[in-house]
Amino acid sequence: MGKLIFAIESSCDETAAAVVEDGRKILSDVIYTQIKDHAEFGGVVPEIASRAHVEKITPVVRKALMESGASWKDISAIAVTKGPGLVGSLLVGVNFAKTLAFSLGLPLIGVNHIEGHISANYLEHQDLEPPYGCLVVSGGHTHLLSVDDYGQMRVLARTRDDAAGEAFDKVSRTLGLGYPGGPAIERAAVKGDPKAIEFPRARIDEAPMDFSFSGLKSAVLNYINKQKMKGDKVNPYDVSASFQEAVIDVLSEHTRMAIRQNLWKKIAMGGGVSANGALRQRMEDMAKEEGAVLYYPSPRLCTDNAAMIGAAGYYRFIKGERADLALNADPSLRL
Ligand code: KG4
Ligand code: ZN
């Protein structure tokens, strides 16, 4: 048996625990999603999230250990998401991980959630090794990064305002399609025309690879309001398809710029939005045109999970990195 990392993730609305072997192999991967607790509010309610984490973390941890077939004495270290995320949610996982590490006498590793999303790729692509480029697109983050080595990355571009997933969620709420917005918009977009409405593709002159999605979100709202004022119908399928097309155009073209600038031969994607089928297809086509190989995790590993934290934690563990029991949640942790 290799080195087993027991990982915990609780940064937003998923309570998750996993056992990962040598950073590459999932022995167990348990996710309790709180989606139904938040759906009626159209987004994550922090207080409800913290409370649900407190209720679920013990059974989720137990299940992850049991399903792995391992026992605590087989575990080499405890890894936990220390940020970024919702502070009350993060604290539940961090405190649970500290308690486990202390009582079992195991090393503790604090992991950055974004590094987790990137590392999800190691669980399914055994040939993927740094250096490579990466696009992280989730509900809270939109980053283009250079992954120079395990646990060593540079942010090349980021969003100036909303994250891509946040834009999906807000547009979905406006159209009354429900939460989470990404999958709802993707389903609606299949029935619509991506060229029906011309929504803006923002460009920031002094930083052309940076992203901005708040203007796009406002353009969708304005369009809907104008239609209503004119007494015209809003076709939710066309709005979804045209909005999604604008997001995909921007994400793929900025990634193309980064590939050319950095001469990447390999690029990866991660985060909830990278589960989007239309985005995956466009990124595949773009990567092929640029002579690069594209990697992305299966949808379950794109959205929040603890296995990705186990993968990232493993590479920090073998480098000798250790957190002490003063480890704290950092809601705005940077890479
Ligand atoms: O990575 P994630 O689970 O949590 C964060 O770290 O934020 O990402 C959640 C985000 C949500 O905004 C959700 O709407 C979006 O990912 N998402 C999608 C899809 N599935 C999830 N966006 C577009 N298409 C999807 N299929
Ligand atoms: Zn995430």
Side-chain angles (χ1 to χ4, degrees), residues 11 113 117 138 141 303-304 308:
S11 66
H113 183 78
H117 276 305
S138 72
H141 318 282
T303 45
D304 289 350
M308 68 184 196

Side-chain angles (χ1 to χ4, degrees), residues 134-138 140-146 154-167 200-217 246-259 264 268-270 273 279 283 286:
C134 191
L135 173 70
V136 177
V137 270
S138 72
H141 318 282
T142 305
H143 286 323
L144 264 169
L145 314 104
S146 172
R154 284 173 293 134
V155 178
L156 305 179
R158 56 160 44 94
T159 179
R160 298 289 181 103
D161 39 59
D162 293 352
E166 201 178 344
R201 278 83 170 141
R203 195 188 155 88
I204 295 154
D205 285 336
E206 70 278 13
M209 284 195 316
D210 269 5
F211 303 95
S212 167
F213 292 109
S214 70
L216 170 60
K217 176 194 67 192
V247 175
I248 292 175
D249 273 356
V250 167
L251 292 176
S252 62
E253 286 313 306
H254 289 206
T255 308
R256 189 196 297 277
M257 262 188 263
I259 292 176
W264 289 325
M269 281 202 290
V273 181
L279 174 64
M283 290 285 287
M286 181 277 297

Side-chain angles (χ1 to χ4, degrees), residues 33-281:
T33 178
Q34 308 172 3
I35 284 175
K36 63 169 181 8
D37 303 334
H38 302 284
E40 64 173 298
F41 304 101
V44 177
V45 183
E47 283 76 11
I48 294 176
S50 320
R51 185 183 295 254
H53 285 305
V54 171
E55 285 169 3
K56 293 297 172 191
I57 193 147
T58 304
V60 164
V61 163
R62 278 218 180 99
K63 191 160 184 241
L65 186 71
M66 198 188 73
E67 289 185 356
S68 74
S71 63
W72 287 119
K73 64 175 178 8
D74 304 318
I75 303 294
S76 296
I78 308 288
V80 64
T81 305
K82 62 178 175 182
L86 300 169
V87 69
S89 291
L90 287 164
L91 276 170
V92 177
V94 167
N95 284 326
F96 206 95
K98 286 205 282 194
T99 309
L100 278 178
F102 178 72
S103 56
L104 298 165
L106 288 172
L108 178 67
I109 326 276
V111 174
N112 182 306
H113 183 78
I114 300 169
E115 189 177 325
H117 276 305
I118 299 166
S119 306
N121 286 286
Y122 298 139
L123 299 165
E124 293 183 318
H125 304 294
Q126 304 302 320
D127 60 321
L128 178 64
E129 288 187 57
Y132 58 91
C134 191
L135 173 70
V136 177
V137 270
S138 72
H141 318 282
T142 305
H143 286 323
L144 264 169
L145 314 104
S146 172
V147 182
D148 299 329
D149 197 353
Y150 293 107
Q152 216 175 300
M153 52 222 85
R154 284 173 293 134
V155 178
L156 305 179
R158 56 160 44 94
T159 179
R160 298 289 181 103
D161 39 59
D162 293 352
E166 201 178 344
F168 271 95
D169 293 335
K170 287 178 179 168
V171 168
S172 175
R173 184 157 30 167
T174 309
L175 289 171
L177 297 178
Y179 177 83
I185 296 271
E186 182 174 10
R187 281 192 299 273
V190 173
K191 299 184 210 157
D193 174 7
K195 294 196 166 52
I197 311 149
E198 183 63 27
F199 288 130
R201 278 83 170 141
R203 195 188 155 88
I204 295 154
D205 285 336
E206 70 278 13
M209 284 195 316
D210 269 5
F211 303 95
S212 167
F213 292 109
S214 70
L216 170 60
K217 176 194 67 192
S218 305
V220 175
L221 299 188
N222 288 342
Y223 169 82
I224 293 171
N225 288 336
K226 247 190 227 152
Q227 290 296 102
K228 283 184 179 159
M229 266 161 51
K230 284 193 291 184
D232 289 343
K233 274 217 175 98
V234 174
N235 178 330
Y237 306 121
D238 283 346
V239 174
S240 295
S242 301
F243 159 77
Q244 180 175 274
E245 186 76 357
V247 175
I248 292 175
D249 273 356
V250 167
L251 292 176
S252 62
E253 286 313 306
H254 289 206
T255 308
R256 189 196 297 277
M257 262 188 263
I259 292 176
R260 290 186 180 174
Q261 250 178 42
N262 296 278
L263 308 173
W264 289 325
K265 289 285 159 223
K266 296 178 279 184
I267 43 164
M269 281 202 290
V273 181
S274 62
N276 185 285
L279 174 64
R280 288 169 179 243
Q281 188 55 55

